[in-house]
Amino acid sequence: MAITAKNLRPTNPVELDDIDRGLLRMLTENARRTNNSLAEELGIAPSTCLARLNALRSAGVIRRFTLEIDPVVLGHALEALIFVKIRPGARHLMSTFAEEMRAKPGVTQLFFLGGADDFLIHVAVRDSNDVRQFVLDNLSANPAVATTQTSLVFEHSQGAVPWL
Protein backbone atom coordinates (compact mmCIF):
# COMPACT_ATOMS: atom_id res chain seq x y z
CA MET A 1 0.00 0.00 0.00
CA ALA A 2 1.41 3.37 -0.97
CA ILE A 3 1.77 6.00 1.71
CA THR A 4 -0.60 8.71 0.55
CA ALA A 5 -3.35 10.97 1.85
CA LYS A 6 -5.85 8.46 0.40
CA ASN A 7 -4.97 6.08 3.26
CA LEU A 8 -6.30 8.47 5.88
CA ARG A 9 -9.54 7.60 7.66
CA PRO A 10 -12.80 9.50 7.06
CA THR A 11 -13.24 12.72 9.00
CA ASN A 12 -16.74 11.81 10.22
CA PRO A 13 -16.29 9.35 13.08
CA VAL A 14 -18.84 6.58 13.63
CA GLU A 15 -20.99 7.16 16.72
CA LEU A 16 -21.07 4.16 19.08
CA ASP A 17 -23.77 3.46 21.64
CA ASP A 18 -23.40 1.31 24.76
CA ILE A 19 -24.33 -1.89 22.89
CA ASP A 20 -21.75 -1.22 20.15
CA ARG A 21 -19.06 -0.47 22.74
CA GLY A 22 -19.97 -3.60 24.70
CA LEU A 23 -19.83 -5.72 21.57
CA LEU A 24 -16.43 -4.28 20.61
CA ARG A 25 -15.08 -4.71 24.15
CA MET A 26 -16.10 -8.38 24.25
CA LEU A 27 -14.68 -9.09 20.78
CA THR A 28 -11.44 -7.31 21.68
CA GLU A 29 -11.05 -9.72 24.59
CA ASN A 30 -12.02 -12.78 22.53
CA ALA A 31 -12.86 -12.50 18.83
CA ARG A 32 -13.94 -16.17 18.73
CA ARG A 33 -17.03 -15.69 20.90
CA THR A 34 -20.24 -16.93 19.37
CA ASN A 35 -22.97 -14.54 18.32
CA ASN A 36 -25.34 -16.18 20.83
CA SER A 37 -22.96 -15.66 23.77
CA LEU A 38 -22.40 -12.02 22.77
CA ALA A 39 -26.15 -11.41 22.45
CA GLU A 40 -26.87 -13.07 25.79
CA GLU A 41 -24.29 -10.97 27.65
CA LEU A 42 -25.51 -7.79 25.97
CA GLY A 43 -29.16 -8.66 26.68
CA ILE A 44 -30.23 -8.43 23.04
CA ALA A 45 -31.58 -10.88 20.47
CA PRO A 46 -29.02 -12.84 18.44
CA SER A 47 -30.41 -11.34 15.22
CA THR A 48 -29.92 -7.82 16.64
CA CYS A 49 -26.39 -8.71 17.72
CA LEU A 50 -25.54 -10.03 14.26
CA ALA A 51 -27.02 -6.93 12.61
CA ARG A 52 -24.93 -4.70 14.91
CA LEU A 53 -21.80 -6.70 14.14
CA ASN A 54 -22.41 -6.48 10.40
CA ALA A 55 -23.07 -2.73 10.66
CA LEU A 56 -19.76 -2.23 12.53
CA ARG A 57 -17.96 -4.21 9.83
CA SER A 58 -19.66 -2.30 7.01
CA ALA A 59 -18.81 1.04 8.63
CA GLY A 60 -15.14 0.02 8.85
CA VAL A 61 -15.08 0.05 12.66
CA ILE A 62 -14.11 -3.63 12.60
CA ARG A 63 -11.44 -4.08 9.95
CA ARG A 64 -10.67 -7.74 10.56
CA PHE A 65 -10.67 -10.53 13.12
CA THR A 66 -7.21 -11.69 14.07
CA LEU A 67 -5.24 -13.54 16.71
CA GLU A 68 -2.34 -12.71 18.97
CA ILE A 69 0.74 -14.93 18.66
CA ASP A 70 3.30 -15.15 21.46
CA PRO A 71 6.70 -14.67 19.75
CA VAL A 72 8.56 -16.10 22.76
CA VAL A 73 6.86 -19.48 22.33
CA LEU A 74 8.11 -19.52 18.73
CA GLY A 75 11.69 -18.74 19.75
CA HIS A 76 11.58 -14.99 19.10
CA ALA A 77 12.31 -13.84 22.65
CA LEU A 78 13.79 -10.44 21.78
CA GLU A 79 11.73 -7.51 20.55
CA ALA A 80 13.24 -4.26 19.33
CA LEU A 81 12.02 -0.93 18.02
CA ILE A 82 14.10 0.48 15.18
CA PHE A 83 13.68 4.14 14.33
CA VAL A 84 14.57 4.95 10.72
CA LYS A 85 15.26 8.25 8.97
CA ILE A 86 15.11 8.30 5.18
CA ARG A 87 17.65 10.42 3.28
CA PRO A 88 16.16 13.72 2.04
CA GLY A 89 17.02 12.79 -1.57
CA ALA A 90 15.26 9.43 -1.23
CA ARG A 91 11.82 10.61 -0.10
CA HIS A 92 10.31 9.24 -3.31
CA LEU A 93 11.33 5.74 -2.14
CA MET A 94 9.30 5.81 1.09
CA SER A 95 6.40 3.71 -0.23
CA THR A 96 8.77 1.12 -1.67
CA PHE A 97 10.76 1.07 1.56
CA ALA A 98 7.57 0.52 3.60
CA GLU A 99 6.41 -2.34 1.37
CA GLU A 100 9.83 -4.01 1.57
CA MET A 101 10.01 -3.71 5.36
CA ARG A 102 6.50 -5.11 5.88
CA ALA A 103 7.55 -8.23 3.96
CA LYS A 104 10.72 -8.89 6.00
CA PRO A 105 10.73 -11.84 8.40
CA GLY A 106 10.59 -10.69 12.01
CA VAL A 107 8.76 -7.43 11.32
CA THR A 108 5.63 -7.41 13.47
CA GLN A 109 4.60 -3.78 12.95
CA LEU A 110 5.64 -0.85 10.79
CA PHE A 111 4.74 2.74 11.61
CA PHE A 112 5.02 5.68 9.20
CA LEU A 113 5.79 8.65 11.45
CA GLY A 114 5.63 12.41 11.53
CA GLY A 115 8.46 14.02 13.47
CA ALA A 116 12.19 13.46 13.69
CA ASP A 117 12.02 9.89 12.35
CA ASP A 118 10.22 8.57 9.28
CA PHE A 119 9.52 4.98 10.31
CA LEU A 120 9.39 2.81 13.39
CA ILE A 121 9.92 -0.89 12.78
CA HIS A 122 8.90 -3.34 15.51
CA VAL A 123 10.74 -6.65 15.18
CA ALA A 124 10.57 -9.90 17.12
CA VAL A 125 13.71 -12.01 16.71
CA ARG A 126 15.67 -14.75 18.47
CA ASP A 127 18.49 -12.68 19.92
CA SER A 128 20.60 -9.53 19.67
CA ASN A 129 22.60 -11.00 16.80
CA ASP A 130 19.36 -11.25 14.77
CA VAL A 131 18.59 -7.58 15.48
CA ARG A 132 22.11 -6.63 14.43
CA GLN A 133 21.83 -8.68 11.23
CA PHE A 134 18.41 -7.20 10.44
CA VAL A 135 19.80 -3.67 10.73
CA LEU A 136 22.92 -4.48 8.71
CA ASP A 137 21.18 -6.41 5.93
CA ASN A 138 17.99 -4.38 5.56
CA LEU A 139 18.72 -0.87 6.79
CA SER A 140 22.42 0.00 6.82
CA ALA A 141 22.81 -1.50 3.34
CA ASN A 142 19.74 0.35 2.02
CA PRO A 143 20.73 3.51 0.11
CA ALA A 144 17.45 5.22 1.06
CA VAL A 145 18.22 5.01 4.79
CA ALA A 146 20.07 7.90 6.43
CA THR A 147 20.17 6.73 10.07
CA THR A 148 18.75 4.14 12.43
CA GLN A 149 18.39 3.95 16.19
CA THR A 150 17.50 0.69 17.91
CA SER A 151 15.87 0.28 21.31
CA LEU A 152 15.29 -3.08 22.97
CA VAL A 153 11.84 -3.85 24.36
CA PHE A 154 11.93 -5.16 27.92
CA GLU A 155 8.17 -5.58 28.21
CA HIS A 156 5.32 -5.25 25.71
CA SER A 157 1.66 -5.21 26.72
CA GLN A 158 -1.65 -4.04 25.27
CA GLY A 159 -3.24 -1.02 26.82
CA ALA A 160 -6.94 -0.60 27.41
CA VAL A 161 -8.87 0.71 24.42
CA PRO A 162 -9.98 4.10 25.80
CA TRP A 163 -12.86 4.74 23.41
CA LEU A 164 -14.67 1.56 24.44
Side-chain angles (χ1 to χ4, degrees):
M1 171 177 11
I3 300 170
T4 66
K6 292 189 291 187
N7 298 335
L8 300 176
R9 300 281 181 249
T11 56
N12 297 329
V14 173
E15 295 291 328
L16 302 176
D17 64 14
D18 289 341
I19 291 176
D20 292 331
R21 281 190 288 279
L23 182 58
L24 292 172
R25 191 177 303 109
M26 288 186 284
L27 289 171
T28 299
E29 292 170 8
N30 179 3
R32 292 189 58 165
R33 287 191 60 172
T34 65
N35 184 61
N36 285 341
S37 75
L38 294 167
E40 183 178 333
E41 190 169 328
L42 289 169
I44 60 176
S47 59
T48 302
C49 186
L50 186 58
R52 291 289 190 113
L53 180 59
N54 288 335
L56 290 167
R57 290 173 65 190
S58 294
V61 174
I62 297 174
R63 290 188 289 194
R64 64 189 177 122
F65 294 92
T66 187
L67 60 112
E68 184 178 342
I69 298 171
D70 186 346
V72 174
V73 174
L74 298 175
H76 297 267
L78 182 66
E79 293 182 64
L81 302 175
I82 307 167
F83 294 87
V84 179
K85 290 182 186 175
I86 301 296
R87 283 186 311 101
R91 304 307 247 177
H92 64 284
L93 299 174
M94 291 177 88
S95 292
T96 303
F97 176 82
E99 289 174 24
E100 289 173 0
M101 290 304 110
R102 272 193 290 273
K104 298 290 180 192
V107 173
T108 63
Q109 296 179 24
L110 176 76
F111 299 90
F112 176 50
L113 306 174
D117 296 299
D118 296 305
F119 291 96
L120 172 60
I121 304 170
H122 179 198
V123 297
V125 293
R126 290 178 303 203
D127 53 34
S128 60
N129 188 54
D130 280 359
V131 174
R132 177 184 175 276
Q133 209 56 50
F134 181 90
V135 171
L136 290 174
D137 293 347
N138 302 300
L139 303 173
S140 297
N142 189 321
V145 174
T147 64
T148 64
Q149 181 177 336
T150 302
S151 296
L152 300 181
V153 175
F154 293 136
E155 186 175 328
H156 179 207
S157 57
Q158 276 313 112
V161 181
W163 53 86
L164 297 181

